[in-house]
Amino acid sequence: MGEKYSDTEIAQMFSDYVTRMQDKPRHTGAAQKETDAFDLFCESEFPRNVRLQVNLFDRMMNCAVEYEESGFIAGFKTAMALKSGQEEDLPKPSNISSPRIEETKPAAITEPQKVPNVDDVVKFRITSKQIAELFETTNAKVVKRIERFIIPKLDDDSRKGFEKYEGVNVQMKPITFYRLNKAACEMYLKQMEPKRKNYVNIAGGCSKLEELMEKVFRVEAVPV
């Protein structure tokens, strides 16, 4: 007879596993890709509402963790049943209680240090994460370029075109990203211009950013 564990005991094993992996990636590349895609979807669909973006991402991650825990429990029970040869103990539909252990669940993302009102968000519609996608690079590299080569050269008023946010990613590692207004995007393009002729990805990124800017910062017609 194989040893049996309750759902609560297996859930605690899952909690211990998450704690051990806190600073290390524990998900597949496909899972990370889907997470990034959802994050980008929220940004593009609700560009004027940062709070809604954060709340949607947070709820998605809470659901993902619940599914991850239930999968862990089902997988553990399946392995134990197969190992002991007791197929009657294999998990059955609606046979998983999925006990919640709130204190051990990893947070999806922290609240931004500053959440501007709707009128302010209208001016900041393109993020460093979107720019990274366009240039086929990482958000960290875009942020580094902004902070090292662009912002230091600007006066206080011009720096307001770059809104900085702090949070954590799904691996619970700190992440910094920026929201840029139209002027800030133009500054970024100017910074990339010297490399545009020599690098295909940069040339493509500049063109894609220009196209995105035309869509995002579309000037509404003013009645005559």
Side-chain angles (χ1 to χ4, degrees):
M1 295 287 291
E3 185 175 1
K4 293 185 178 181
Y5 296 89
S6 67
D7 286 359
T8 300
E9 290 173 318
I10 302 174
Q12 184 58 52
M13 294 179 193
F14 171 78
S15 173
D16 295 339
Y17 155 70
V18 171
T19 300
R20 289 196 305 272
M21 298 293 288
Q22 206 61 263
D23 296 324
K24 303 174 184 177
R26 73 175 190 269
H27 302 103
T28 63
Q32 183 61 57
K33 184 177 180 180
E34 289 298 325
T35 301
D36 293 339
F38 183 79
D39 192 19
L40 185 61
F41 169 80
C42 290
E43 291 178 354
S44 61
E45 291 296 315
F46 310 103
R48 301 188 180 189
N49 196 331
V50 177
R51 187 178 295 279
L52 178 59
Q53 292 177 31
V54 172
N55 287 338
L56 285 174
F57 190 88
D58 185 63
R59 287 178 179 273
M60 182 275 291
M61 285 303 301
N62 286 340
C63 289
V65 172
E66 291 294 341
Y67 273 103
E68 185 181 10
E69 180 183 286
S70 64
F72 185 97
I73 294 172
F76 188 95
K77 285 186 172 182
T78 298
M80 292 295 292
L82 293 176
K83 183 178 180 180
S84 63
Q86 298 178 358
E87 295 188 4
E88 66 274 12
D89 290 336
L90 285 171
K92 298 177 177 59
S94 303
N95 194 36
I96 301 175
S97 61
S98 298
R100 300 181 63 88
I101 305 178
E102 295 293 342
E103 67 275 12
T104 63
K105 295 298 176 68
I109 186 169
T110 61
E111 286 289 328
Q113 289 183 338
K114 175 185 178 183
V115 178
N117 59 43
V118 173
D119 292 334
D120 288 337
V121 173
V122 172
K123 305 173 186 177
F124 300 91
R125 295 187 178 179
I126 295 180
T127 72
S128 55
K129 291 187 286 185
Q130 288 175 295
I131 293 175
E133 290 277 346
L134 300 178
F135 282 86
E136 299 179 5
T137 186
T138 64
N139 174 69
K141 289 184 178 180
V142 174
V143 169
K144 183 177 180 181
R145 183 173 288 114
I146 290 173
E147 294 183 338
R148 179 175 294 184
F149 300 109
I150 301 178
I151 290 181
K153 302 177 182 178
L154 305 178
D155 56 33
D156 291 340
D157 287 337
S158 298
R159 291 181 181 182
K160 294 177 181 179
F162 297 87
E163 283 280 2
K164 186 175 182 179
Y165 294 86
E166 305 287 349
V168 293
N169 61 16
V170 291
Q171 280 82 37
M172 301 304 292
K173 294 182 179 180
I175 181 174
T176 297
F177 70 95
Y178 281 86
R179 292 184 68 91
L180 288 67
N181 65 9
K182 183 178 181 180
C185 288
E186 291 172 345
M187 294 177 202
Y188 192 88
L189 282 172
K190 184 177 180 180
Q191 176 66 34
M192 302 303 294
E193 187 63 32
K195 300 180 181 180
R196 190 168 187 167
K197 297 180 179 179
N198 300 324
Y199 300 93
V200 175
N201 64 315
I202 292 180
C206 287
S207 297
K208 293 175 184 176
L209 180 54
E210 289 169 344
E211 292 176 4
L212 182 60
M213 288 172 63
E214 289 181 3
K215 296 177 182 179
V216 173
F217 302 115
R218 184 183 298 111
V219 177
E220 297 181 0
V222 179
V224 178

